[in-house]
Amino acid sequence: MFAIVLGMLIVVFGVLFLRLHAFLALFFATLVVAAATSAHSVSESVLLHCTAQVDSISGQQLNLSEVGKDLGAQPGAYYLVGDVAAIAKSTPPLVWIERFEITDDSTTAFFAEELPAAASLTGARLIPHDEYQYAVRLAKTSPINRVANALGETFGKIGLLIAMASIIGQCLLASGAAERIVQGIRQAMGEKWTALAFVVSSFVLAIPVFFDTVFFLMLPLAQAMARKTGRDYLKYVMSIIVGGSLAHSLVPPTPGPLFVATELNVSIGAMAIGGIGVGIWGVIAGYFYMLWANRRWQIPLRLDPPEAAPHESANLDQQRESQLPSFGFSILPVVVPIFLLGMKTVSQTWLSGFDAPWMPFWNSTISFFGDKNIAISLGAVLALLTLLGKPQMTWAGLSKSVQKALSEGGVVVLITCAGGAFGEMIRQTNVGATIAHSLPASVGGTGLLITAFLVTVIIRVIQGSATVAMIAAIGIVVPVATQIGLPFHPVYLALAIGCGSKPLPWMNDSGFWVISRMSGFTEQETLKTFSVLLTIMGVVSFLATLVCAVCFPFV
């Protein structure tokens, strides 16, 4: 536990006071945790749920208890380990289990030959051969090699996804497709519902594009509407925040929810559907708070208007609009990946037992195109086509846009991989069993959701970054969840962590200053609008997650 506390302090102190890059802070903390973890804890973390306790040995059978959920109970080679603390120092007896018999209250293992007396180890632990060998190798591995391996494993899970998502976002911005999406939604809903159109537009755009970028893109539209109407500037600014902020923490492929879903083995499609499902309730709550705040505080547009004459500005807007791609083509890079991921999730959840002649072909097709890497890559190809269709676009210009996207995405990949390694080193301390044993018996199910939410909120308030808060929290929560077990689908735990990354943003959050400086709000105005808004949305979305977990567990 000391190693984990020290690692968390390094992350918080490094980001908040030393102003270190998040990657460096996470990397240094990861090394410290790895170096402070004993070999015994490392091996225990591997064997936590794949062993069984030997109660007695009689003839050619073992009577087992405390059977781990990942033991497998399959015929094969098993070790009988008497002293787990000395797992890397000696070779225990190896037996061949022919079969297991499992009843409601007992588990019995049968092997071919009777054990010699020296091997009759009542109280020993039965461990599968492969898991034992892996635990021994990992316990003997140096801290820096364990960190490097964890970095590589995390990159293998999400590196390609983040790179492709960066390409989608950059191409949508450079081609004008993002602007066309905003204009199309606004025109469809009418000028009277401009604020609601901004909410919908920012929510859609924040799925492939970072929230800060969405805010930069849409703020000029909010300022233009405020100049046109002479009022409601706060409403237009907050409408962008209402739509974009929750998608940033709940809907992949943005890094935070993507990483959390990957660590919990939740499909990207399930995370996207769940994030949209609970996020809508937070958006509704935020929308009503936005309307109330706009009536209570009249914050004027303090920024200087553009110097261009009105008719010149209108002509330029008309000329630019004619060069934008169509709405349908613009939104394809966002809709197609979500559709494919969602269809794979629906197929695996509700169509798995459906019997029809065409089902094998359907399953193979949707398994291929619904794979997270394939789906996001198809979105990137469509985004490149929107940019390639831009007037006067050359291959050199296309190459520069891709290079810029990968440069920005590379930084995110480094931070996320460092966070993944940090979480893995925390798991190797075997803290999950320690925390689970110290928690009251009532902490399970919804209690674990509340714990995950509060842990994320605390980390978020201390160090400011929503993404770093999610990355740090998952390393603490996952071992506890593994130890306790979940009575519902793990997507709810991922959503609870995402919701916990929203409340109480203040001066240590870069997004706070982006909103304040770009919109012209004072610090006090930003606190009572932006900070309160995100807190309400995070709490309401979390309450929606709790209700869904109880009513629709999807175990």
Side-chain angles (χ1 to χ4, degrees):
M1 185 63 75
F2 170 76
I4 297 173
V5 173
L6 183 59
M8 294 296 298
L9 288 176
I10 292 174
V11 172
V12 173
F13 187 81
V15 173
L16 195 57
F17 297 103
L18 299 181
R19 301 296 180 185
L20 288 178
H21 192 280
F23 168 74
L24 290 177
L26 286 166
F27 181 70
F28 291 147
T30 302
L31 279 179
V32 169
V33 174
T37 304
S38 66
H40 170 58
S41 296
V42 173
S43 59
E44 275 284 306
S45 68
V46 175
L47 303 175
L48 187 61
H49 294 292
C50 58
T51 69
Q53 185 79 27
V54 179
D55 285 344
S56 62
I57 301 177
S58 58
Q60 295 175 247
Q61 69 181 47
L62 303 175
N63 298 314
L64 306 176
S65 64
E66 300 181 15
V67 179
K69 62 183 181 65
D70 296 330
L71 181 64
Q74 297 295 324
Y78 288 78
Y79 284 99
L80 281 172
V81 181
D83 184 8
V84 179
I87 192 169
K89 299 178 182 178
S90 61
T91 303
L94 182 66
V95 298
W96 183 270
I97 303 296
E98 290 189 329
R99 60 188 175 89
F100 286 85
E101 286 187 1
I102 302 174
T103 62
D104 293 338
D105 54 359
S106 67
T107 300
T108 305
F110 296 86
F111 46 91
E113 299 179 358
E114 185 172 344
L115 291 175
S120 298
L121 301 171
T122 300
R125 290 167 69 176
L126 187 70
I127 303 176
H129 175 272
D130 292 344
E131 281 74 11
Y132 176 86
Q133 294 293 337
Y134 176 66
V136 170
R137 288 196 304 271
L138 194 63
K140 293 180 177 179
T141 304
S142 66
I144 185 61
N145 284 337
R146 286 191 280 121
V147 171
N149 290 336
L151 284 167
E153 289 174 1
T154 307
F155 180 84
K157 293 177 183 177
I158 61 176
L160 179 61
L161 296 175
I162 293 178
M164 293 297 105
S166 298
I167 291 176
I168 293 174
Q170 176 61 30
C171 290
L172 290 182
L173 294 172
S175 66
E179 185 176 346
R180 171 63 76 187
I181 291 172
V182 176
Q183 290 184 359
I185 294 175
R186 180 169 170 260
Q187 291 171 0
M189 302 184 73
E191 188 169 319
K192 179 181 178 182
W193 299 100
T194 296
L196 184 58
F198 284 174
V199 171
V200 176
S201 301
S202 59
F203 189 90
V204 172
L205 291 177
I207 294 174
V209 182
F210 296 124
F211 171 69
D212 291 357
T213 306
V214 173
F215 188 78
F216 293 149
L217 170 71
M218 296 188 62
L219 183 61
L221 301 177
Q223 293 170 345
M225 286 302 301
R227 292 190 188 99
K228 181 178 180 180
T229 61
R231 55 186 176 84
D232 294 338
Y233 178 54
L234 176 61
K235 180 174 73 172
Y236 294 128
V237 172
M238 290 182 69
S239 64
I240 301 173
I241 302 170
V242 167
S245 60
L246 271 181
H248 179 74
S249 292
L250 293 178
V251 185
T254 46
L258 176 63
F259 176 78
V260 171
T262 302
E263 290 297 293
L264 286 168
N265 293 320
V266 175
S267 70
I268 306 302
M271 186 67 185
I273 294 172
I276 294 172
V278 303
I280 286 176
W281 297 102
V283 168
I284 292 173
Y287 185 79
F288 282 108
Y289 175 76
M290 173 195 77
L291 297 178
W292 177 85
N294 186 63
R295 290 194 299 267
R296 183 174 178 83
W297 302 299
Q298 288 299 319
I299 299 178
L301 174 60
R302 302 185 179 101
L303 304 177
D304 294 332
E307 296 180 358
H311 67 278
E312 293 175 351
S313 177
N315 291 336
L316 289 173
D317 289 343
Q318 291 177 1
Q319 182 179 2
R320 173 169 174 76
E321 185 173 351
S322 64
Q323 297 177 350
L324 298 179
S326 66
F327 177 80
F329 194 42
S330 298
I331 205 169
L332 277 180
V334 180
V335 173
V336 168
I338 294 177
F339 174 77
L340 291 174
L341 292 168
M343 285 303 299
K344 182 178 180 180
T345 301
V346 170
S347 178
Q348 292 177 342
T349 304
W350 287 289
L351 300 180
S352 57
F354 189 72
D355 187 16
W358 47 267
M359 280 303 295
F361 174 77
W362 165 260
N363 289 332
S364 61
T365 302
I366 199 63
S367 294
F368 176 79
F369 288 103
D371 178 82
K372 57 185 179 181
N373 292 299
I374 296 296
I376 302 298
S377 297
L378 286 175
V381 171
L382 292 171
L384 287 170
L385 292 177
T386 65
L387 184 57
L388 196 59
K390 185 179 179 180
Q392 289 83 46
M393 175 55 63
T394 63
W395 285 105
L398 183 68
S399 177
K400 288 181 179 179
S401 294
V402 173
Q403 182 177 355
K404 181 179 179 181
L406 294 179
S407 298
E408 295 175 351
V411 176
V412 179
V413 169
L414 283 175
I415 295 173
T416 310
C417 289
F422 183 55
E424 179 59 27
M425 293 308 106
I426 290 177
R427 279 191 287 276
Q428 289 181 10
T429 65
N430 204 28
V431 68
T434 303
I435 296 178
H437 291 152
S438 64
L439 291 175
S442 59
V443 177
T446 56
L448 185 58
L449 291 182
I450 296 173
T451 302
F453 175 77
L454 293 178
V455 166
T456 314
V457 169
I458 292 170
I459 299 174
R460 153 75 153 167
V461 172
I462 291 174
Q463 55 79 46
S465 169
T467 300
V468 173
M470 295 174 71
I471 290 173
I474 195 68
I476 298 173
V477 172
V478 167
V480 182
T482 304
Q483 181 71 16
I484 295 177
L486 295 176
F488 41 70
H489 196 285
V491 70
Y492 293 117
L493 187 59
L495 294 174
I497 293 173
C499 295
S501 70
K502 291 292 96 179
L504 304 175
W506 59 296
M507 281 80 164
N508 64 349
D509 178 15
S510 62
F512 178 93
W513 295 109
V514 169
I515 302 298
S516 175
R517 292 295 177 260
M518 292 296 296
S519 60
F521 291 179
T522 66
E523 288 81 0
Q524 182 180 2
E525 290 169 344
T526 308
L527 283 170
K528 68 185 181 183
T529 56
F530 169 70
S531 300
V532 175
L533 173 66
L534 259 63
T535 301
I536 291 173
M537 294 173 66
V539 171
V540 171
S541 296
F542 173 66
L543 293 177
T545 302
L546 276 178
V547 172
C548 291
V550 173
C551 298
F552 311 103
F554 295 123
V555 178

